[in-house]
Amino acid sequence: MSTRPAVVVVSHETREEVLGCLDSLATHDLGQIVVVDTGSTDGTAAAVRRGHPDVQVVELANAGFGRAANTGVRLDDAEVVVIANADVRFGAGSVARLDAELCNDPTLAMVGPSVRYPDGQPQASARRLPDLRTALGHAACSRVWPGNPWTRRYWARDVSAVEARDTDWLSGCVVAVRRRAFEDVAGFDPGYHLYVEDLDLGVRLRRAGWRLRFLPSAVVVHRVGASTSRRRAWALMTHARSLDRFHRRHYRGTGATLLRPLLRGGLVGWALVTWVAERVAGTRRSTTGERTVGGGHTNQRPDRRER
């Protein structure tokens, strides 16, 4: 078994992003790097093979993030595997810090870094598992009242962002996993095509007795929504379906069953309202020319594929 961490990068229609991700890994001491491309038509696989011939490339149909990540993990025998989106850039020493944290504590299953937007602001990458009241409050208020108490609780804004701590779940945009723990729960549930698979994995790992840890000394940059920004309506409905699947799998009993139709209607409503709000905000920004250096809109930060 390899003693150096492996890296699995999942890509879909993100050729330039995945090349940038691989460039950011060039100075890290790594074992195997695997790019799992899921049905791209933009030449991702060929570009990776040309630019990074030492990287193993696997081409799949667009079967979703979880299935692609599971495939990549199975292709190496490293005890620690870092799984990442293509739109991640690894900071200096970040992989080594994640690897060391896992190796030094055998009770840990996953470790996640501090995830930053390109402008340096933090993403909510280490969150609490919300109860129903918190989830509803966050969904209803996060856009119109960003500082509401439900969002602050869900995103763990009330605890230190610079101290290592255990957490309920970690953003799947980049996470280091212990192979034994990952295999113990059969990896990501491939039933989630996109979104919520990281939340589901965290719940199953903790139920199996493992711990998850947030490590802010490891820093990465994540440009949210690289593969979904051009398909927002589809992405929002996919997110809603994934939340419905999570509710069905993890909330049982008469109360949960009775609430399910109401929840489904609320999820569809949330997706539609969010889509309309983003369209309106995008129209306003296009008239003022308000854009970030990287080409993304400045007001698109909350929940734009924030894994």
Side-chain angles (χ1 to χ4, degrees), residues 55-92:
V55 171
Q56 183 175 359
V57 179
V58 178
E59 297 180 72
L60 300 179
N62 188 8
F65 178 87
R67 190 182 301 276
N70 291 347
T71 298
V73 171
R74 286 195 296 266
L75 293 175
D76 194 88
D77 65 353
E79 176 56 21
V80 173
V81 183
V82 177
I83 302 168
N85 284 5
D87 53 1
V88 166
R89 303 294 180 269
F90 289 86

Side-chain angles (χ1 to χ4, degrees), residues 26-44:
T27 60
H28 296 255
D29 183 22
L30 302 173
Q32 180 68 54
I33 301 176
V34 179
V35 169
V36 183
D37 185 64
T38 58
S40 295
T41 60
D42 62 355
T44 293

Side-chain angles (χ1 to χ4, degrees), residues 259-277:
L259 280 173
R260 193 159 293 135
L262 179 62
L263 176 65
R264 286 176 171 170
L267 287 171
V268 172
W270 164 80
L272 291 173
V273 168
T274 301
W275 181 77
V276 170

Side-chain angles (χ1 to χ4, degrees), residues 3 12 40 61 91-92 104 109 113 182 197 206 222 236 240 251-252 266 296:
T3 59
H12 176 71
S40 295
N104 291 336
F182 193 76
E197 68 283 318
R206 291 195 303 117
H222 178 217
L236 287 165
Y251 293 90
R252 305 292 177 85

Side-chain angles (χ1 to χ4, degrees), residues 30-180:
L30 302 173
Q32 180 68 54
I33 301 176
V34 179
V35 169
V36 183
D37 185 64
T38 58
S40 295
T41 60
D42 62 355
T44 293
V48 172
R49 290 187 176 108
R50 286 195 305 269
H52 297 270
D54 294 334
V55 171
Q56 183 175 359
V57 179
V58 178
E59 297 180 72
L60 300 179
N62 188 8
F65 178 87
R67 190 182 301 276
N70 291 347
T71 298
V73 171
R74 286 195 296 266
L75 293 175
D76 194 88
D77 65 353
E79 176 56 21
V80 173
V81 183
V82 177
I83 302 168
N85 284 5
D87 53 1
V88 166
R89 303 294 180 269
F90 289 86
S94 54
V95 175
R97 292 187 180 99
L98 296 171
D99 177 54
E101 191 76 5
L102 275 173
C103 292
N104 291 336
D105 190 337
T107 68
L108 290 173
M110 290 201 303
V111 180
S114 173
V115 182
R116 303 278 172 170
Y117 290 100
D119 64 4
Q121 293 299 308
Q123 292 182 24
S125 59
R127 306 184 189 185
R128 292 189 177 98
L129 178 65
D131 55 27
L132 185 59
R133 179 183 300 179
T134 300
L136 292 174
H138 165 70
C141 300
S142 61
R143 288 190 171 274
V144 297
W145 180 18
N148 71 79
W150 304 285
T151 296
R152 283 182 56 81
R153 174 169 175 76
Y154 171 44
W155 284 358
R157 296 298 196 199
D158 54 346
V159 296
S160 173
V162 297
E163 296 181 4
R165 58 180 169 84
D166 282 13
T167 188
D168 290 346
W169 66 285
L170 292 160
S171 169
C173 71
V174 54
V175 66
V177 301
R178 184 185 305 278
R179 176 178 299 277
R180 183 161 60 89

